Amino acid sequence: MISWPKSLVTEIARRRCILFLGAGVAASSRNAQGERPKEWKEFLKEAAELVLDKNKQKEVNSLIDQNKLLLALQAVYDEAEPSDYQNLLNVSFNDAAFEPSELHKIVFNLDSRLVITTNFDKIYEKQCLSKSMKGYKVIPYYSDSLADEIRSDTRLIIKAHGSIDEVKGMIFTKAQYHHAKERYGSFYSILKALLLTNTCIFIGCGMDDPDVLLILEEVRIAANSDRPHYALFREGSHTEFVKKDLASAYNVRCLEYGPGHDNLIEDLKELEQQIDGMRALG
């Protein structure tokens, strides 16, 4: 089991810890038929079929096999019929049949004031907006009110890559990454400030988002490494070299669970109990 650092438990109990949710959290959801949302590569393989030129489609699949995922999706975006591409986005990320999983519920119970997610779907929002008596606001990266909301007492879900509600605002392709950095630089300044002043736990994240890694690197240079951020990884999913690099370059300490997904649920339930006990003591 994960041995949760006492300092981390304290930070979460005091609501000074940011929970950062990645695609692995969305993938834990199921619909009534037991189906899960498409994983990243599964979505890309389906998207590649929208490229009608067979030679170009083959090149896109080659990019996917080489793990050049952003470039592959940029190629699909450039070559596919726009209406077909948008339909695929809606089918993949706007399916109300997917229900919050046990993982979504535990994240909700940890009751962090700030949750950041790169997911386009609305599954975690469904959990919060249906169960919370305290009220949540969902704020995309391009919102002019983001800074004011962060300074308030409101519980926030910050959509770092946008939402399926506004397809044109989704950060998905390589060009969209560059456009967002140029036009919404204030968001990345805010994100850097949050990571400088708060501990962050990355849940269900592959730790390969270029924007997040760049900000973590800048924070690592500016801040004391005695207070790391944390990433939850399944046992054996990352090599020792990767874990060492995350620690030295980005000040991210890896906490491993395993061997299966159920072990993460058990570990997080133990964390929830520790936090509830600490909050009960004030």
Side-chain angles (χ1 to χ4, degrees):
M1 294 184 68
I2 294 175
S3 296
W4 297 104
K6 186 175 180 180
S7 60
L8 175 59
V9 176
T10 302
E11 290 288 282
I12 300 174
R14 292 177 177 174
R15 297 182 177 84
R16 284 182 47 81
C17 184
I18 297 169
L19 306 183
F20 201 115
L21 312 184
V25 177
S28 67
S29 177
R30 292 180 185 269
N31 60 18
Q33 289 72 44
E35 299 168 331
R36 296 184 184 274
K38 294 183 182 72
E39 294 185 355
W40 184 210
K41 279 195 173 181
E42 183 184 1
F43 168 79
L44 279 173
K45 286 289 187 180
E46 187 170 345
E49 296 177 7
L50 300 180
V51 179
L52 300 181
D53 185 307
K54 294 303 180 183
N55 289 328
K56 292 181 179 179
Q57 186 182 115
K58 185 177 179 180
E59 292 175 10
V60 172
N61 281 310
S62 177
L63 290 172
I64 297 171
D65 293 338
Q66 296 172 52
N67 218 38
K68 297 179 180 179
L69 306 185
L70 284 178
L71 186 55
L73 189 57
Q74 183 66 57
V76 171
Y77 181 85
D78 291 340
E79 296 295 331
E81 178 67 31
S83 59
D84 292 340
Y85 176 73
Q86 185 157 336
N87 286 340
L88 179 61
L89 292 180
N90 280 315
V91 168
S92 301
F93 301 110
N94 197 32
D95 189 342
F98 289 112
E99 293 295 329
S101 65
E102 188 69 16
L103 182 52
H104 287 100
K105 294 172 184 176
I106 294 173
V107 169
F108 170 78
N109 290 340
L110 294 178
D111 194 23
S112 174
R113 195 180 78 79
L114 295 179
V115 173
I116 301 174
T117 179
T118 52
N119 296 335
F120 305 121
D121 64 79
K122 300 185 287 182
I123 303 171
Y124 182 64
E125 289 96 304
K126 181 188 293 188
Q127 173 68 25
C128 295
L129 299 175
S130 65
K131 299 298 183 182
S132 176
M133 301 298 292
K134 299 168 185 174
Y136 276 77
K137 287 187 178 181
V138 182
I139 307 291
Y141 69 92
Y142 50 80
S143 173
D144 292 334
S145 63
L146 176 59
D148 289 335
E149 294 292 355
I150 287 174
R151 295 178 66 183
S152 73
D153 293 330
T154 307
R155 285 169 171 75
L156 301 179
I157 302 169
I158 300 172
K159 306 284 279 190
H161 285 176
S163 170
I164 190 62
D165 283 341
E166 181 54 60
V167 173
K168 290 183 179 179
M170 290 169 58
I171 302 175
F172 214 176
T173 68
K174 198 166 187 179
Q176 288 165 345
Y177 269 89
H178 294 317
H179 175 75
K181 291 292 289 288
E182 290 176 359
R183 187 170 180 183
Y184 302 103
S186 59
F187 167 73
Y188 296 96
S189 297
I190 290 171
L191 184 56
K192 179 179 177 180
L194 289 174
L195 294 177
L196 271 168
T197 55
N198 298 271
T199 300
C200 185
I201 304 180
F202 295 89
I203 306 174
C205 299
M207 300 308 294
D208 53 6
D209 185 304
D211 286 338
V212 174
L213 288 179
L214 178 60
I215 291 171
L216 283 170
E217 185 176 31
E218 293 174 352
V219 170
R220 168 69 180 85
I221 294 170
N224 190 328
S225 61
D226 290 341
R227 290 186 174 272
H229 301 293
Y230 297 88
L232 306 185
F233 288 151
R234 184 174 55 80
E235 186 179 276
S237 62
H238 291 71
T239 67
E240 291 299 320
F241 296 109
V242 170
K243 291 184 285 186
K244 184 177 180 180
D245 180 63
L246 284 170
S248 61
Y250 307 107
N251 196 26
V252 175
R253 178 183 168 192
C254 300
L255 298 176
E256 292 188 309
Y257 63 89
H261 172 73
D262 289 343
N263 300 106
L264 173 60
I265 299 299
E266 293 171 8
D267 285 337
L268 286 172
K269 285 183 176 178
E270 170 61 26
L271 174 63
E272 182 184 343
Q273 289 179 358
Q274 293 185 37
I275 290 167
D276 287 346
M278 188 170 289
R279 285 173 177 165
L281 292 173

